[in-house]
Amino acid sequence: MVRITEDLVRKRAEHNECQISTLEEISLHQQDIERLEHLDKWCRDLKILYLQSNLIPKIENVSRLKKLEYINLALNNIEKIENLEGCESLKKLDLTVNFVGELTSVESLKDLYNFKELFLTGNPCADFEHYREFVIATLPQLQWLDGVEIEKSERIKAIQNLPFIRGYILEQQARYKLKRAKEKAEALEKLKQKSKDCEGADGDGNNKENKPGYDGRWYTDINDSDTQDKVQETNKENEKEKSHEEKVDDFWKETSTYSPESRLEVHNHLKELKEKENKKEDKDVKKERKLFAEDGRPFNVNEPKVDFTLTEDGENIFLDVAIFKHMDTSLLDCDVQPNFVRVTLKGKMLQLALSEEVNGDASVAKRSQTTGHLLVTMPKVKPILKPKPLKDVQQNPPKEEKDQTKSPINFLEVDSSARKCVDLTSIVSDNQTKLTGTLPFGTRSIKREAPERENSSDFVDDPDVPPLI
């Protein structure tokens, strides 16, 4: 049974900073509430109250709401208009699609001088003959009924015919009460039968009397010939037993009267189906996959079932994952740890253990623009150092091992006096030596002192003139 709790009211009062004492409007629709309570004590300043689509059977505990102007109780199980006399500010009441069959209960709204609008569409009383005339004549302050404005001429005629109309209403109301008493008795009998079936069923929902070895009184010997025949018949009946889906279809196809009891039955049926689905989902939930062993070793996991290659050389380890070419890169995630690499594709994990420790900070993940593959390059923490390959001994034998039988190579030498062309190799060095007095870099320099030039004949040495540096 769903009750109105303080936590529920505070949750629905978020627009009022979760303060319920000064709350003026609250919506508690579609909460499967089965009783109207506590609001007249917690929310005394309420002006608008939404309670549609619940299972409330009675209007109660609202007489202290002196500021209440509008209350919506559509799609509930209310059968009578009552306990609203204290709501002196009430202007509008919505009882659409309820089970109000006692039409004379509208007389309880007669003293509400602010009451202007009433909705009774979808109630049994709305099908009564002279229903509209009776309501208009009973509530002279009413201006709208079921969304239709009341005209003055219509009100005058209704008031004039009220003494005759009231008799018809009372007769129809009495017939409806007898009908409701019959519906209640049938619903009670059906509920008893259902509880009896539940008591006679085992944990799997099967009837015990259909079990082999059960004769209705005590367990008998199933090896007896009569019992074996009964078992065979029972097995045949069980084979013909309907599945759960067929039972659900039969429930919805079953004809029933529209009453508060049938509405509760449908609600309970849907609740049972939801509970069964939740249990089934709990059973179907897969156990969490273990990614590491007890000693910390990472497991190899390939949830997306993609192709990959893991190769290495002396310095790096390479992972090539065959990702779909047109897959958005935002759906990928790569995590490189010292001893494993993990690639997540659309929430599914590819985890591979590495043979050597790698440097995660220096690792690089790139995606191919042609194939869409993901290439992860992971440098090793301790790369293998290999020497450079030696040259072939046969191709380059040492000088000592050369064949001495061969004749020595004679170079053609020309006398230096026979050179007629300029020696280009000494141009730069000669010029540099002349200019700076030193040899080029890399050669042994010979320091030369430049000779001093003699003074001219007319030179006069003036001691006041500083020397030139």
Side-chain angles (χ1 to χ4, degrees):
M1 181 176 180
V2 180
R3 307 289 290 268
I4 297 177
T5 61
E6 186 176 351
D7 293 337
L8 177 61
V9 176
R10 289 190 184 278
K11 183 179 178 181
R12 292 288 179 169
E14 294 178 351
H15 59 283
N16 198 42
E17 297 180 354
C18 296
Q19 296 182 7
I20 61 177
S21 59
T22 59
L23 193 63
E24 295 185 356
E25 179 180 347
I26 189 171
S27 178
L28 297 173
H29 64 285
Q30 295 180 351
Q31 297 293 321
D32 295 336
I33 298 171
E34 299 184 18
R35 187 177 179 184
L36 181 55
E37 55 185 349
H38 302 311
L39 294 178
D40 59 335
K41 299 177 182 178
W42 297 340
C43 313
R44 300 293 289 271
D45 294 336
L46 269 182
K47 293 183 179 180
I48 300 175
L49 178 58
Y50 295 100
L51 288 166
Q52 64 269 29
S53 299
N54 284 296
L55 300 171
I56 300 173
K58 184 180 180 180
I59 303 175
E60 57 184 344
N61 299 320
V62 292
S63 59
R64 297 181 182 180
L65 300 176
K66 302 300 182 181
K67 299 181 181 179
L68 187 64
E69 299 179 359
Y70 172 44
I71 179 171
N72 190 334
L73 288 164
L75 293 167
N76 279 278
N77 293 343
I78 297 171
E79 299 187 58
K80 184 180 179 180
I81 302 174
E82 56 186 343
N83 300 322
L84 291 171
E85 295 84 357
C87 302
E88 53 191 33
S89 301
L90 188 64
K91 297 180 181 179
K92 182 178 178 180
L93 174 63
D94 193 345
L95 292 171
T96 304
V97 190
N98 274 273
F99 300 94
V100 178
E102 190 175 342
L103 186 57
T104 55
S105 61
V106 298
E107 295 175 352
S108 62
L109 305 173
K110 186 183 298 185
D111 296 331
L112 301 178
Y113 52 87
N114 290 317
F115 192 63
K116 304 297 180 184
E117 193 170 356
L118 176 64
F119 286 88
L120 287 171
T121 305
N123 287 270
C125 64
D127 296 331
F128 290 177
E129 190 177 358
H130 304 296
Y131 144 76
R132 184 175 176 84
E133 292 89 335
F134 178 80
V135 176
I136 292 173
T138 304
L139 303 175
Q141 78 277 29
L142 196 66
Q143 297 180 0
W144 295 80
L145 178 59
D146 297 333
V148 180
E149 188 176 5
I150 301 172
E151 299 179 358
K152 291 184 178 180
S153 59
E154 187 179 9
R155 189 184 302 278
I156 293 172
K157 290 180 182 179
I159 293 174
Q160 292 175 350
N161 297 328
L162 181 60
F164 306 100
I165 294 173
R166 186 177 177 80
Y168 287 108
I169 296 297
L170 292 175
E171 291 179 4
Q172 298 175 80
Q173 190 171 282
R175 289 196 295 268
Y176 177 75
K177 285 183 178 180
L178 294 175
K179 180 183 176 182
R180 280 293 299 130
K182 184 178 179 181
E183 290 175 355
K184 289 180 180 179
E186 291 177 354
L188 184 61
E189 186 66 25
K190 190 174 182 180
L191 186 61
K192 288 181 179 180
Q193 184 65 32
K194 186 177 180 180
S195 61
K196 186 178 179 181
D197 294 340
C198 293
E199 290 176 359
D202 57 5
D204 298 332
N206 299 320
N207 197 340
K208 290 181 179 179
E209 297 180 356
N210 294 331
K211 290 282 186 179
Y214 187 82
D215 59 358
R217 295 172 298 174
W218 195 250
Y219 287 96
T220 56
D221 187 7
I222 62 174
N223 295 322
D224 186 42
S225 59
D226 296 336
T227 306
Q228 291 178 355
D229 295 338
K230 187 176 180 180
V231 170
Q232 293 178 358
E233 294 177 359
T234 304
N235 292 334
K236 291 180 180 179
E237 291 178 359
N238 292 335
E239 290 177 357
K240 296 179 181 179
E241 189 176 356
K242 296 181 180 179
S243 62
H244 176 69
E245 290 76 10
E246 292 176 347
K247 290 180 181 178
V248 172
D249 293 339
D250 292 342
F251 175 82
W252 293 113
K253 292 178 181 178
E254 182 182 358
T255 57
S256 62
T257 57
Y258 185 65
S259 62
E261 292 78 18
S262 64
R263 191 165 182 263
L264 282 173
E265 185 181 3
V266 171
H267 175 264
N268 294 331
H269 178 71
L270 294 175
K271 188 177 180 180
E272 290 177 1
L273 290 178
K274 189 174 182 180
E275 290 177 355
K276 288 181 179 179
E277 289 179 358
N278 292 337
K279 290 181 180 179
K280 187 177 180 181
E281 289 178 358
D282 294 339
K283 291 180 180 179
D284 294 339
V285 171
K286 296 182 180 178
K287 295 182 179 179
E288 293 185 1
R289 186 186 293 273
K290 291 185 178 181
L291 301 177
F292 300 94
E294 295 180 356
D295 57 355
R297 291 181 296 102
F299 290 145
N300 293 327
V301 180
N302 189 2
E303 290 181 348
K305 298 180 180 179
V306 292
D307 297 332
F308 65 90
T309 56
L310 189 64
T311 58
E312 61 178 300
D313 57 12
E315 298 179 356
N316 301 301
I317 297 178
F318 304 97
L319 173 62
D320 187 358
V321 185
I323 300 173
F324 302 111
K325 181 178 180 181
H326 301 290
M327 184 177 179
D328 192 356
T329 309
S330 61
L331 301 175
L332 307 178
D333 187 22
C334 183
D335 182 19
V336 179
Q337 297 296 331
N339 57 345
F340 70 90
V341 58
R342 182 182 299 168
V343 179
T344 306
L345 311 173
K346 291 185 177 180
K348 295 183 178 181
M349 188 182 303
L350 169 65
Q351 179 174 294
L352 299 173
L354 302 177
S355 58
E356 297 184 39
E357 188 176 354
V358 298
N359 187 354
D361 295 335
S363 300
V364 178
K366 292 184 179 180
R367 196 166 177 198
S368 174
Q369 296 182 354
T370 55
T371 62
H373 288 200
L374 179 67
L375 179 62
V376 184
T377 305
M378 299 166 281
K380 296 180 180 179
V381 175
K382 298 179 180 179
I384 300 174
L385 300 177
K386 295 182 179 180
K388 295 183 179 180
L390 298 175
K391 295 182 179 180
D392 193 355
V393 179
Q394 296 181 355
Q395 293 181 357
N396 298 316
K399 296 181 179 179
E400 299 177 357
E401 298 180 0
K402 287 185 178 181
D403 190 5
Q404 298 179 358
T405 57
K406 295 182 180 179
S407 58
I409 300 175
N410 297 322
F411 295 96
L412 181 61
E413 295 183 0
V414 181
D415 187 10
S416 58
S417 61
R419 295 179 181 175
K420 296 182 179 180
C421 60
V422 180
D423 187 4
L424 299 178
T425 59
S426 61
I427 294 177
V428 177
S429 59
D430 291 344
N431 292 338
Q432 189 172 3
T433 303
K434 293 177 181 179
L435 294 174
T436 61
T438 59
L439 295 176
F441 179 76
T443 60
R444 296 181 64 182
S445 62
I446 301 173
K447 196 170 183 181
R448 300 178 182 177
E449 295 182 359
E452 292 185 3
R453 193 180 62 175
E454 296 181 358
N455 295 329
S456 57
S457 58
D458 57 348
F459 174 75
V460 179
D461 187 9
D462 190 356
D464 295 334
V465 176
L468 295 176
I469 297 175

